[in-house]
Amino acid sequence: MSQSDKTRVTVEIHNRSYTIVGQEPAHRVRMVASLVDQKMSEIHEANPNLDTAKLAVLTAVNTTNDYLKLKEEYAQLLGSITRKEARKDND
């Protein structure tokens, strides 16, 4: 993919502007940036003395934890569906 095919979007996260270049549609980049900004704001409210670097790391840790929980729940749901289908096939 050439540089001209990439999407370039400027977003604001924690009162700073970032230009993000990539293959995702602009609306997706804005949505992700908004979620990151919300999570940083939540953590900042609970920990107002954190510098930006520590706030960013805690945001990444919290977001990754949320992602892993969802991934585990998804795997459990898939397993449950697979077991139900297997029982249905055996009936």
Side-chain angles (χ1 to χ4, degrees):
M1 173 174 269
S2 72
Q3 190 67 21
S4 63
D5 294 335
K6 293 185 178 181
T7 304
R8 184 178 191 87
V9 182
T10 300
V11 297
E12 191 164 305
I13 300 172
H14 198 61
N15 300 318
R16 290 192 173 169
S17 289
Y18 297 90
T19 300
I20 299 173
V21 179
Q23 298 175 359
E24 296 293 332
H27 71 276
R28 175 97 175 166
V29 174
R30 285 189 198 97
M31 180 181 66
V32 169
S34 175
L35 292 171
V36 171
D37 185 55
Q38 287 174 22
K39 183 63 90 173
M40 285 185 82
S41 293
E42 288 173 21
I43 294 170
H44 182 70
E45 275 185 39
N47 305 280
N49 296 324
L50 289 177
D51 63 35
T52 302
K54 288 181 181 174
L55 180 59
V57 169
L58 277 179
T59 300
V61 168
N62 277 270
T63 302
T64 301
N65 185 51
D66 293 345
Y67 166 74
L68 290 174
K69 283 180 184 178
L70 285 171
K71 193 173 175 182
E72 289 165 1
E73 289 174 17
Y74 177 73
Q76 288 173 352
L77 284 170
L78 280 179
S80 176
I81 290 169
T82 302
R83 286 188 299 276
K84 284 181 182 178
E85 288 175 350
R87 282 196 302 261
K88 196 163 128 182
D89 290 341
N90 290 331
D91 289 341

